[in-house]
Amino acid sequence: MTTMAEEARARESRGTREVQGSREAPEDGRSRGSGGSEIRRHELAAFLRSRRERITPEQVGLPRGARRRTPGLRREEVAHLSAVGVTWYTWLEQSRDIQVSVQVLDALARTLLLDPSERAHLFQLAAATDPTPASSCTGITDAVRKVLDQLDPLPACVQNSRYDILAYNRTYAHLLCDLDAIPPEDRNCMILVHTHPQWRESVVHLDETMRLMAAKLRASMAGHLTEPAWKMLVKRLQTESPEFRENWERYEVVATRSKTKQFRNPHVGLLDLTHTDLWLSPELGARLVTYAPADEVARQRLEQLHAFARAATAEGAEPAGTVASAGIAGSAGTAGSAGVRR
């Protein structure tokens, strides 16, 4: 007959085996999963090295120097241009097990001049989600595309609360710059007004506009303080624009409102336009941005600008960046209007 002491020892032994088993299972799982992670890290390291070695110093505004042995950029140069530590970037190319934020991945993609396919590959290797509008954004329906098309010659676009330009019509494509020539990930009004020379030249009251837009962005960001895409946008603006840094530190906030704006268009001259936001999805911040002529002169000039935009499209194939039949990435691939861009 089993004594109480023997039963207690048996229970203790079973408990020990159960605890050991619970420890061993996760460790085995991690061991099985770590192989894939290690392979991914090696692929990421090799990809970064290959992209770094193909870029010449001249492409990123650096002097070549007489003693350069590296076929492309040095590691420290990539680190400096991406605003990350040299040791940290070296570890990344050595396949070390370190965490990489989406902000750093975005900076590396820009420094290494990655095209959209290469950028997507970079984020996939890092097991991260690209937060830029080029890869994921609110879907634009066929109905919205048709509205944009029908609004021509009035310039119109769809933006979200982060000022990403998600879709636009022909006239808007040539209102402030050649928007089709801008990479999708850079089609953001905050970025363009602070960094793009032609866009800045087209805004008549530039200083006032930049201060107002910074205040609008801060007001909108209150509900998105922890989201990577928002933090990435602010960090980029602080890095690239002293005007934004100054205005951002004012901690001003202002609500969106209709306003008459003046633009200096290189094709038709001065335009007085009334800006209006029509909310498509208030909870997501998506809005239809329209510009109506404030006077008869502006109306005639918008018609001229629309004629120019149509002629520019008719000269050849649709410009790069134009979406004539497919929707925004992530939405249904249905036929859209030939005049609507993304």
Side-chain angles (χ1 to χ4, degrees):
M1 185 172 180
T2 304
T3 66
M4 294 179 61
E6 289 172 336
E7 290 179 351
R9 284 195 295 271
R11 286 196 300 269
E12 182 178 357
S13 177
R14 286 196 302 270
T16 301
R17 286 197 298 272
E18 289 170 358
V19 170
Q20 289 174 341
S22 66
R23 289 174 181 170
E24 289 170 1
E27 288 176 1
D28 289 344
R30 282 193 296 269
S31 178
R32 286 192 297 269
S34 63
S37 298
E38 185 176 356
I39 293 172
R40 191 185 297 272
R41 291 198 303 273
H42 280 287
E43 285 293 319
L44 176 60
F47 180 67
L48 289 173
R49 284 195 299 272
S50 70
R51 300 303 90 177
R52 172 173 62 83
E53 291 172 356
R54 74 172 185 174
I55 299 174
T56 66
E58 292 83 359
Q59 286 180 279
V60 292
L62 295 177
R64 171 168 292 277
R67 302 178 62 183
R68 179 178 295 271
R69 291 191 297 268
T70 306
L73 296 179
R74 301 185 180 99
R75 285 175 175 172
E76 56 267 28
E77 291 170 335
V78 173
H80 172 72
L81 292 171
S82 304
V84 299
V86 176
T87 300
W88 186 92
Y89 180 76
T90 300
W91 286 350
L92 196 59
E93 282 201 7
Q94 291 175 345
S95 309
R96 300 284 189 96
D97 187 6
I98 57 177
Q99 296 296 318
V100 188
S101 70
V102 293
Q103 293 93 329
V104 168
L105 291 172
D106 176 73
L108 290 174
R110 296 177 188 282
T111 297
L112 298 174
L113 307 178
L114 302 186
D115 63 26
S117 297
E118 293 168 334
R119 180 186 176 94
H121 186 64
L122 173 69
F123 276 82
Q124 188 173 23
L125 289 177
T129 300
D130 189 348
T132 63
S135 60
S136 61
C137 59
T138 304
I140 306 298
T141 65
D142 280 348
V144 172
R145 294 190 191 95
K146 290 176 181 177
V147 169
L148 285 171
D149 194 26
Q150 291 298 313
L151 282 171
D152 271 322
L154 303 187
C157 69
V158 176
Q159 298 178 18
N160 59 19
S161 55
R162 204 172 55 238
Y163 289 89
D164 297 320
I165 302 171
L166 308 181
Y168 51 96
N169 62 12
R170 278 195 180 101
T171 311
Y172 188 86
H174 295 277
L175 178 64
L176 293 151
C177 70
D178 182 2
L179 197 55
D180 289 331
I182 304 297
E185 62 268 22
D186 290 340
R187 291 178 195 160
N188 176 285
C189 291
M190 292 294 302
I191 292 173
L192 293 169
V193 80
H194 286 92
T195 65
H196 192 277
Q198 187 179 350
W199 189 287
R200 289 165 60 86
E201 178 64 26
S202 298
V203 178
V204 173
H205 303 290
L206 181 60
D207 291 341
E208 177 188 349
T209 297
M210 287 190 295
R211 182 171 178 176
L212 183 63
M213 290 184 69
K216 287 182 178 181
L217 182 66
R218 185 173 284 282
S220 297
M221 193 171 179
H224 308 273
L225 293 174
T226 62
E227 295 179 24
W230 288 75
K231 294 191 291 185
M232 189 169 69
L233 173 62
V234 171
K235 183 176 181 180
R236 179 180 176 185
L237 289 165
Q238 289 175 323
T239 300
E240 298 183 12
S241 172
E243 296 98 335
F244 178 81
R245 288 198 300 271
E246 179 181 349
N247 289 326
W248 192 247
E249 290 304 316
R250 295 176 184 270
Y251 280 85
E252 296 175 336
V253 293
V254 65
T256 301
R257 60 179 184 270
S258 297
K259 182 182 179 182
T260 298
K261 298 183 178 182
Q262 283 189 320
F263 298 120
R264 189 183 297 106
N265 186 272
H267 307 293
V268 300
L270 190 66
L271 292 165
D272 289 335
L273 305 177
T274 301
H275 166 274
T276 302
D277 286 327
L278 304 175
W279 297 95
L280 302 176
S281 177
E283 68 277 8
L284 298 177
R287 62 190 185 275
L288 179 65
V289 180
T290 62
Y291 292 94
D295 52 37
E296 179 62 20
V297 173
R299 186 191 67 78
Q300 294 177 1
R301 290 180 177 178
L302 282 181
E303 291 180 353
Q304 295 171 8
L305 182 59
H306 181 229
F308 169 83
R310 292 185 64 179
T313 301
E315 284 180 359
E318 285 284 65
T322 299
V323 170
S325 59
I328 292 292
S331 64
T334 54
S337 170
V340 177
R341 272 81 165 149
R342 149 182 175 258

